[in-house]
Amino acid sequence: MDAISSSMHRQQFPGNPEKPFTFTTQVRNTHFNPHNYAVKHGRSAYALQLFDEMPKTSDTLAWNTLIQTHVRNSDFDSAVATYWQMLLRGIRPDRHTLPRILSVPRVNGSLSFGKQLHGHAVKLRLCSDQYVTSALIEMYGKLDGADAAKWMLDKSCQKSNSVSWTLLCGLYLKENKPRSAIGLFNEMVAFGLEIDKVALVTVIGACGALKSLQEGRNVHQAARRCGLELDVLVSNALLNMYVDCGSMKDARGVFDRMPLKDAISWTAMVRGYVKKGEFNEGLKLFRQMNAEGIKPDAVAISSILPACARMAAHKNGKEIHGCLLRNGIDMNLRVQNALIDMYVKSGFIEYASQIFSRMKDKDVISWTVMILGYSLHGQGEVGVNMFREMVEKSEIEIDEITYVTVLYACCSAVMVEDGWLYFDKIRSPQVAHCALMVALLGRAGLFDEARAFIEECQLSRHAEVLRALLDGCRIHQNVNTGKRLVEQLCDLEPLNADNFVLLSNWYAHMANWDMVKKSRETIEDMGLRPKKACSWIEFKNKVHVYGTGDVSHPRSERIYWELRSLMEQVEEEGIMPSSDFSLHDVDEERECIPIGHSELLALSFGLISTQAGATIRVTKNLRICRNCHDFVKFISKVVEREIIIKDPSCFHHFKDGSCSCRDF
């Protein structure tokens, strides 16, 4: 601020301030020369010709209009030349001239020219005009920062002009200084300035950026006092602010009180519910939005699609995709990416692939979602090949997240050499990258190499890295190494019940029942709550949920009968499903009869409820056990159906007696 102040003090203008301003004198003494300006920009001949075509009138309206036309056409050289001709011909710029010409330095970044124009405003005594002040604040804010704009406001005579204050609030917000914007708004309220809807929308945005619910509620009260709470712009801003602050209760209160709701209002609420994981409420509101004749736009579609990125909601996703096509909604890149993500996560990788292949433009999100999608569905090799294609055929910059996905693809396909190749290309590997390399080495059974890597990178204190190696122990039934890892996890995360469940299951596998009892007592004494396994399946627009050993369903008797019949066929074939629960992280499933596991109950319900040949889709909240995995492979062969079970690690596509995860 001192630099600006001293600069203004150094700039002296000739003539007595009490006498009329003489522009010819001013021109001779300024540092700016229009001819030099034109030559510098390669437009000397054109500029000289332009001077001859200037209006002969002294009416500023014609000159202001000409300047405005040049500015609107981004012809800033001509705008400056026109302004300078005004000065040469002794025509006094007015309160409309300076805001127009001040847009030139604001756009082309010439702070020195802006300061000269500020000097003209001082000499012309126009700094007290609200239009000029606002233009100067905007110019300083753009070129020298919001603090410089604040200095301008403090020096001006327009402290009662709420427009300037609002403009400054917006500048602080653009500089990611929401707290300064809120403080400035509080000053406006304290000074008793008029608060309009633009000021409210600006400061509400600052509260959302700061995620300060208390500040947001304070501004909400100010909006209510001003009688602007129900203005659609203010209400929409409040909705978004409450959503950003995580208070759907407050957001719903605003929404329900709004006399008029537009597409933005509905979309904000849908986005909020989806963001908070209340998917069913979001879908319900989206349907209500359509029923009331509000056509969703691309933003609304991309907001609701994540709610359909679940196995049980795949019909909703297809329905929304159809709505998008029927209504001719803009299929922009954001919408297409959301569609791909929805189909990948709801179990339809083939649909996602079709949309991706038809996309004319693809960004890093498009490629990343598809690479990860193929990996989740057991097609890691395809994901790795797609990454290579992205590198060869596009100019997209590879970021850390993209490297995470390609490493996940290598892990899914157990491509160790490729994994090392891509890992070595990461400039600053994060723990997530290292954990994936450990998981890859563990899947390949390279435990010595994995341990050496962990020691070299000093990763032994990171739980996610130990769990990655534990997965390898589970796959290769390396129970001794697994036990040591579980003990390390118990030390690192003493409040994580899953670790003690793992330890208890290991002791049970070794028939050490005293230690099993001790592990359970530890869980109870510490008040820990192990996760309960559950699975669900969608049938006729209703989701059927099952727990371990569940007998509450009306068709439970038929469900268990179907499973017993299939189990008998397994025994007749001489197939012995694995009973190893040593490194399984679900306590209740070890002691439950095999056919009582939640995923098998959901699967059996699907078998007795759907037509022969129909694909069955089941979701489980925890990892599928080895026993169930072997049993479902057999079932898929006997019933000649594709069975898709999604657990937290991946999609298991069972078909003809095999699984897409290749038993990993």
Side-chain angles (χ1 to χ4, degrees):
M1 295 311 96
D2 293 337
I4 295 176
S5 180
S6 60
S7 172
M8 291 303 304
H9 284 303
R10 285 197 305 270
Q11 185 165 354
Q12 300 294 327
F13 293 88
N16 189 330
E18 300 300 325
K19 295 181 180 179
F21 186 75
T22 307
F23 289 97
T24 52
T25 306
Q26 167 63 12
V27 170
R28 295 189 194 103
N29 287 275
T30 187
H31 298 294
F32 182 81
N33 185 285
H35 183 269
N36 291 341
Y37 184 91
V39 170
K40 180 179 178 182
H41 290 77
R43 304 190 58 180
S44 177
Y46 174 72
L48 292 174
Q49 177 186 355
L50 185 67
F51 293 160
D52 296 331
E53 298 174 356
M54 294 296 180
K56 304 300 188 238
T57 178
S58 60
D59 180 13
T60 56
L61 177 61
W63 290 87
N64 292 343
T65 302
L66 186 56
I67 291 173
Q68 181 64 25
T69 300
H70 290 317
V71 169
R72 190 180 296 115
N73 294 332
S74 300
D75 188 357
F76 302 120
D77 295 351
S78 298
V80 172
T82 303
Y83 175 74
W84 206 255
Q85 276 294 296
M86 287 183 72
L87 303 182
L88 285 169
R89 301 186 185 190
I91 300 169
R92 185 185 183 92
D94 59 17
R95 61 197 292 263
H96 300 293
T97 312
L98 282 167
R100 286 169 166 79
I101 196 62
L102 276 167
S103 62
V104 173
R106 189 178 72 243
V107 173
N108 67 16
S110 176
L111 180 59
S112 59
F113 181 37
K115 287 182 177 181
Q116 289 187 57
L117 293 174
H118 185 182
H120 289 193
V122 171
K123 186 67 176 178
L124 291 163
R125 298 180 182 177
L126 289 173
C127 284
S128 60
D129 181 81
Q130 67 175 18
Y131 295 111
V132 176
T133 300
S134 297
L136 286 167
I137 289 173
E138 192 172 5
M139 185 271 294
Y140 278 119
K142 175 72 180 298
L143 303 182
D144 208 17
D147 289 337
K150 180 68 165 60
W151 171 88
M152 180 64 224
L153 178 63
D154 292 339
K155 294 294 182 182
S156 75
C157 304
Q158 283 295 318
K159 289 191 176 181
S160 61
N161 176 17
S162 61
V163 174
S164 300
W165 287 77
T166 302
L167 183 62
L168 186 54
C169 279
L171 290 170
Y172 277 126
L173 196 54
K174 284 181 180 178
E175 291 186 5
N176 196 26
K177 297 177 180 177
R179 196 172 294 280
S180 297
I182 295 170
L184 199 66
F185 177 80
N186 291 334
E187 286 185 51
M188 289 178 67
V189 175
F191 288 157
L193 299 181
E194 180 183 358
I195 306 298
D196 59 13
K197 59 185 178 182
V198 178
L200 285 168
V201 168
T202 304
V203 74
I204 290 168
C207 296
L210 195 62
K211 290 182 171 50
S212 173
L213 187 58
Q214 187 56 51
E215 292 288 359
R217 285 173 174 163
N218 292 340
V219 176
H220 191 170
Q221 288 291 337
R224 188 174 290 124
R225 289 193 298 270
C226 297
L228 293 170
E229 177 193 14
L230 300 181
D231 178 88
V232 68
L233 290 177
V234 176
S235 293
N236 285 344
L238 287 169
L239 283 178
N240 281 297
M241 181 270 295
Y242 282 129
V243 167
D244 290 338
C245 293
S247 178
M248 287 307 298
K249 182 179 178 181
D250 286 316
R252 190 60 190 251
V254 173
F255 182 79
D256 290 340
R257 287 193 299 272
M258 290 177 67
L260 294 174
K261 303 178 182 72
D262 58 12
I264 296 174
S265 318
W266 289 91
T267 302
M269 287 303 298
V270 168
R271 178 179 70 89
Y273 280 122
V274 173
K275 183 179 178 182
K276 199 154 186 178
E278 299 181 31
F279 302 127
N280 291 333
E281 192 64 32
L283 285 165
K284 179 181 175 182
L285 207 62
F286 182 80
R287 293 192 188 99
Q288 187 180 344
M289 172 185 177
N290 281 274
E292 296 201 10
I294 306 294
K295 286 190 176 182
D297 57 9
V299 178
I301 292 292
S302 56
S303 297
I304 192 60
L305 280 173
C308 308
R310 300 166 293 141
M311 289 269 279
H314 66 273
K315 289 184 179 178
N316 302 115
K318 290 181 178 179
E319 177 187 335
I320 291 171
H321 190 183
C323 170
L324 191 153
L325 296 172
R326 285 193 305 272
N327 293 317
I329 297 172
D330 180 26
M331 287 279 283
N332 60 30
L333 187 58
R334 180 179 176 182
V335 171
Q336 292 178 89
N337 286 342
L339 279 171
I340 293 173
D341 183 66
M342 181 272 293
Y343 278 124
V344 162
K345 292 177 180 175
S346 61
F348 292 87
I349 186 67
E350 63 278 7
Y351 289 176
S353 179
Q354 289 173 15
I355 295 172
F356 180 83
S357 62
R358 289 196 298 264
M359 291 173 66
K360 294 181 180 179
D361 298 311
K362 302 178 180 74
D363 61 4
V364 68
I365 296 175
S366 317
W367 289 94
T368 300
V369 170
M370 280 308 302
I371 293 169
L372 181 61
Y374 279 119
S375 307
L376 289 172
H377 288 267
Q379 301 180 47
E381 298 94 337
V382 179
V384 173
N385 290 333
M386 181 168 282
F387 178 81
R388 292 174 183 147
E389 182 184 351
M390 179 182 71
V391 173
E392 293 172 1
K393 296 184 178 180
S394 70
E395 298 179 354
I396 295 174
E397 183 178 354
I398 311 300
D399 57 16
E400 291 182 355
I401 297 176
T402 313
Y403 275 119
V404 166
T405 58
V406 72
L407 286 176
Y408 191 91
C410 292
C411 186
S412 174
V414 198
M415 299 170 67
V416 178
E417 291 184 7
D418 292 87
W420 279 123
L421 173 67
Y422 297 127
F423 182 83
D424 290 338
K425 290 184 178 181
I426 304 173
R427 295 178 182 176
S428 302
Q430 305 298 310
V431 175
H433 301 114
C434 297
L436 283 167
M437 274 308 304
V438 171
L440 173 55
L441 296 171
R443 281 197 169 205
L446 302 173
F447 293 104
D448 291 338
E449 191 173 342
R451 282 193 290 266
F453 178 75
I454 291 173
E455 291 176 7
E456 180 185 348
C457 299
Q458 299 179 348
L459 299 167
S460 60
R461 302 297 296 175
H462 293 278
E464 60 187 293
V465 174
L466 299 183
R467 284 198 184 88
L469 187 56
L470 184 62
D471 282 340
C473 295
R474 182 184 287 112
I475 293 166
H476 295 279
Q477 298 182 346
N478 188 341
V479 292
N480 293 325
T481 300
K483 193 235 181 183
R484 288 195 295 271
L485 290 170
V486 172
E487 289 174 336
Q488 285 182 264
L489 284 169
C490 288
D491 292 336
L492 282 175
E493 300 176 329
L495 299 180
N496 188 338
D498 295 345
N499 298 330
F500 293 98
V501 169
L502 280 166
L503 198 58
S504 174
N505 282 340
W506 189 90
Y507 284 127
H509 178 73
M510 304 302 292
N512 190 339
W513 302 111
D514 289 337
M515 292 305 296
V516 171
K517 182 181 178 182
K518 186 176 180 180
S519 297
R520 288 183 171 176
E521 288 174 350
T522 301
I523 292 174
E524 292 176 2
D525 293 343
M526 296 181 68
L528 304 179
R529 293 186 178 182
K531 295 175 184 175
K532 296 289 185 181
C534 66
S535 300
W536 54 94
I537 182 172
E538 189 268 340
F539 178 67
K540 290 186 176 180
N541 298 321
K542 184 178 180 181
V543 177
H544 298 256
V545 184
Y546 300 87
T548 305
D550 201 335
V551 292
S552 62
H553 196 277
R555 304 185 69 186
S556 285
E557 186 175 346
R558 178 74 174 86
I559 289 170
Y560 277 95
W561 183 88
E562 181 74 15
L563 288 172
R564 288 192 189 96
S565 299
L566 290 166
M567 183 61 76
E568 289 174 2
Q569 294 183 53
V570 170
E571 293 172 354
E572 290 174 2
E573 292 285 338
I575 300 173
M576 295 296 295
S578 172
S579 58
D580 181 10
F581 285 88
S582 57
L583 296 176
H584 193 53
D585 54 359
V586 185
D587 183 43
E588 56 192 351
E589 291 184 343
R590 177 173 52 80
E591 297 181 348
C592 180
I593 59 173
I595 60 173
H597 289 192
S598 62
E599 60 267 48
L600 295 184
L601 298 176
L603 168 58
S604 181
F605 173 78
L607 290 172
I608 65 176
S609 303
T610 59
Q611 295 180 350
T615 299
I616 297 175
R617 303 171 187 273
V618 175
T619 305
K620 185 178 181 180
N621 68 326
L622 299 176
R623 185 190 300 271
I624 185 172
C625 72
R626 186 184 295 271
N627 179 78
C628 289
H629 192 270
D630 292 344
F631 190 22
V632 177
K633 285 197 299 181
F634 174 80
I635 292 174
S636 71
K637 184 177 181 180
V638 171
V639 301
E640 297 181 345
R641 297 210 207 184
E642 182 178 9
I643 300 167
I644 302 174
I645 297 181
K646 179 187 180 299
D647 70 7
S649 61
C650 68
F651 287 83
H652 298 268
H653 293 254
F654 297 93
K655 192 172 184 180
D656 298 328
S658 62
C659 178
S660 59
C661 77
R662 292 176 293 180
D663 298 338
F664 284 123

